[in-house]
Amino acid sequence: MKRILLLLTFMLSFFQLKADEGMWLLSMVKRLNGVDLKKQGLKLTAEEIYSINNSSLKDAIVQFGGGCTAEIVSKEGLLFTNHHCGYGNIAALSTPEKDYLTNGFWAMKKSEELPAKGLSVRFMVRMDDVSQRINAKLNNSMTAEERKAVIDAEYKAIQTENSENGKYTVVVRDFYNGNEFYYFVYQDFKDVRLVGTPPNALGKYGGDTDNWEWPRHTVDFSVFRVYADANGNPAEYSPNNVPMKPKHALPISLKGYKPGDFTMIVGYPGRTNRYLTSYGIEQMVNKDYPAWVEASKMAMDVMKKYMDKDQATKLHYASQYASVANYWKNRQGTIDAVEKNQTIAGKKDLESKFQVWALLPENQAVYGGVLEDIKGNYTQFSNRNVERNYSSQLQRNAKYLPIAYQLGSLLKTYVDQDDAGKAGMKTKVTDAINRMYDGLNTQLEGEMLNSMVGLYQQRVNKDVASPSLMSVDAKTLSNIAFSSIFATKESALNFVNSPDKLKLDADPLLKIANSFIEDQKLMGEKFAKVDDAFAKNSRIFLDGLRKSQPEKAFYPDANSTMRLTYGSVNTLPERSDRKYYGISEKNNYYTDINGMVAKYKKGDEEFDLPQRFLDLVKKKDFGQYKDKKGFMPVNFLSNNDITGGNSGSPILDGSGNLLGLAFDGNSEALSGDIIFDPKLQKTINVDVRMVLWTIEKYGKAGHLISEMTLVR
């Protein structure tokens, strides 16, 4: 009965939305005020968007690999996501001899589809609000430990109540800085196979130069298929598995769009900080992000040096490099956008208004001093936050340290076994070694270790730095690594065959790695009380902010849970330094294939194009996919509110038909994770007609189109 009431509430309130910023949980639309979305172009009923007991739009949307979104487009479990979302899996399936990343890949029959090891997709079954249940057992007088104990106990109970003995994965998340709680029931499918991908020259066209920029001409998609066992249930990979039968598959629109047309995106946005205070933004752009940018750039330079020398290294490190480069540009762009858009001044104005409310007699005891307390928290952990940014990039990119720590722990358990125990563990240890060292370039990793530790030593304040890292000679660390048990896969396997406890205990790289991790734990303990106070103050501030503006509908920050965002096809303000490649500046909401060719630079790593593609464009062989005006669309703009994690999300028309795939934002609004600018913030989408044209005409995989439902 509770589920039915939840759905009825949703249905009665859905059509009272106001077109505005926000990434909304499907059950939260009752909080919105405003106009009837039917007048803006929405034709779906609430039941068709979100239903617990019947198939609905939500059943076609999946979380892809934990960090992106994808959508089901056929009754045979076919799904679309971005090329950059499938990038790591495509690279992992590639070899110098069969380089799918560079040359593309198309399975001409299901038996040719390639299992993507370790890839899974997550379907949401249902969600529910448990705020009242948990908050009834909490109060602001509790210590952080007491609060955590209550929340952990409730999380565990909720998971047990809803998992159906392990059939489902149940995740409980807090919202509004810990003021509300919801649980989500998921079903995870672990047999996912690569069906098709355009070559890198199309899927990553424009490279880092065009990343976050408009106009864009990137054919950013890849195609996978979800498999299940004979009964339709999730299963590990097996050649006997069959394509899953989804509850819903998205119809695909060939009708096109025009400015002002209604659009809706449903996906899994990763993380926003829209309620961050001015003190937090100042810390971010003046200290934290500059550290991230500097460390990322150094890691990119080291990787690029070796990737340019060897194709196997290029393939292995391609996904890591692309991810680091993307965030490097994002972080620097955020710094620039915050300054240009006067974001901090806007936050301070909001906080001044809040403070007037907070100092009212009825509010002062709880809320009067909370902003000053938050300011004090940042003063206390400012240098520690900088250390975290250098440390995170060090651990992410200098693989020798995490390998030594993780594998060292496993080898310690191994050497302590008797002969029978070692025999029982040997396969597990060997498999771990093969996985950790797969594609590892030892010379690259040696230089990476020296460079990243050296930068850490130069930039991190000694009061918050790891004593272990500060005491080593960064210039000789690679020599230590090369002489270690963990130097290569071969040296690690040799140790497994001839284990020596004394040698393991004496390994200098393992000592450094263990000491570094221990230093991190001690630093965490040192700042635990400050972190707890900051969490409490942030929770109280947001609680007060919402109460101070009762007329406003507050959406929760993104946290990798399914969200709905709505808007329209839209344009960007004209910019004098923007080259439009043949598109009228007054109608810059789309790009076409001729503009893509206009950017072409033969032999250029970012702007080269395959000859076959150029030949097809020259013939104007666009088939049913060209726009009614005659052009072949590539990308288009909308004003939907999205962030990282939305990559691959479907952008839909008012009837729930697929118009394209969201894949990027724009540089003018890179501060979007902390503040939404309705004039500047846009979503860049790849047109689904370009996707289908590439599959059929370029990839010669028209059999895949026959699986889909096309709306003309």
Side-chain angles (χ1 to χ4, degrees), residues 257-331:
Y257 41 77
K258 62 183 183 300
D261 282 357
F262 176 84
T263 56
M264 177 170 60
I265 290 175
V266 182
Y268 285 87
R271 178 65 62 181
T272 55
N273 288 289
R274 294 275 173 81
Y275 305 111
L276 197 63
T277 63
S278 61
Y279 312 115
I281 299 174
E282 287 173 333
Q283 173 72 28
M284 176 187 289
V285 300
N286 294 331
K287 295 186 176 182
D288 295 350
Y289 277 11
W292 184 299
V293 168
E294 184 179 32
S296 296
K297 185 62 169 64
M298 176 171 283
M300 288 162 57
D301 289 344
V302 174
M303 282 188 278
K304 189 80 164 56
K305 174 181 175 181
Y306 291 89
M307 290 168 71
D308 287 346
K309 294 178 182 179
D310 177 63
Q311 184 64 12
T313 299
K314 186 175 183 178
L315 287 171
H316 179 75
Y317 285 86
S319 180
Q320 179 183 344
Y321 182 90
S323 178
V324 174
N326 182 58
Y327 279 104
W328 164 72
K329 190 167 185 177
N330 173 277
R331 298 302 191 247

Side-chain angles (χ1 to χ4, degrees), residues 493-554:
L493 290 173
N494 287 338
F495 181 85
V496 173
N497 293 326
S498 302
D500 184 333
K501 188 176 187 304
L502 293 177
K503 183 178 180 181
L504 181 66
D505 291 341
D507 189 275
L509 184 63
L510 180 59
K511 286 183 175 180
I512 293 170
N514 285 343
S515 296
F516 173 52
I517 298 301
E518 183 62 26
D519 292 343
Q520 295 286 302
K521 291 178 181 177
L522 292 173
M523 191 60 63
E525 292 171 3
K526 178 180 177 181
F527 282 90
K529 289 185 178 180
V530 180
D531 290 338
D532 291 342
F534 176 69
K536 180 178 180 179
N537 290 330
S538 298
R539 183 175 68 253
I540 292 173
F541 169 66
L542 187 48
D543 177 52
L545 187 65
R546 294 165 73 194
K547 289 177 179 175
S548 72
Q549 301 180 59
E551 76 289 348
K552 180 178 178 179
F554 282 80

Side-chain angles (χ1 to χ4, degrees), residues 257-258 589-590 626-631:
Y257 41 77
K258 62 183 183 300
Y589 63 94
Y590 70 89
K626 65 183 178 182
D627 189 82
K628 60 185 178 182
K629 294 181 180 179
F631 66 86

Side-chain angles (χ1 to χ4, degrees), residues 5-55:
L5 289 174
L6 176 64
L7 181 58
L8 287 172
T9 302
F10 174 74
M11 293 175 70
L12 290 170
S13 59
F14 185 82
F15 299 110
Q16 300 302 315
L17 297 173
K18 180 181 178 182
D20 202 351
E21 67 178 278
M23 304 171 193
W24 296 92
L25 288 167
L26 296 185
S27 63
M28 281 188 173
V29 292
K30 60 183 178 292
R31 300 182 183 185
L32 295 169
N33 307 306
V35 299
D36 190 337
L37 276 191
K38 285 185 177 180
K39 295 179 181 178
Q40 299 185 39
L42 181 64
K43 298 179 176 64
L44 296 178
T45 66
E47 177 77 5
E48 290 172 317
I49 293 174
Y50 178 78
S51 176
I52 298 171
N53 300 312
N54 300 306
S55 65

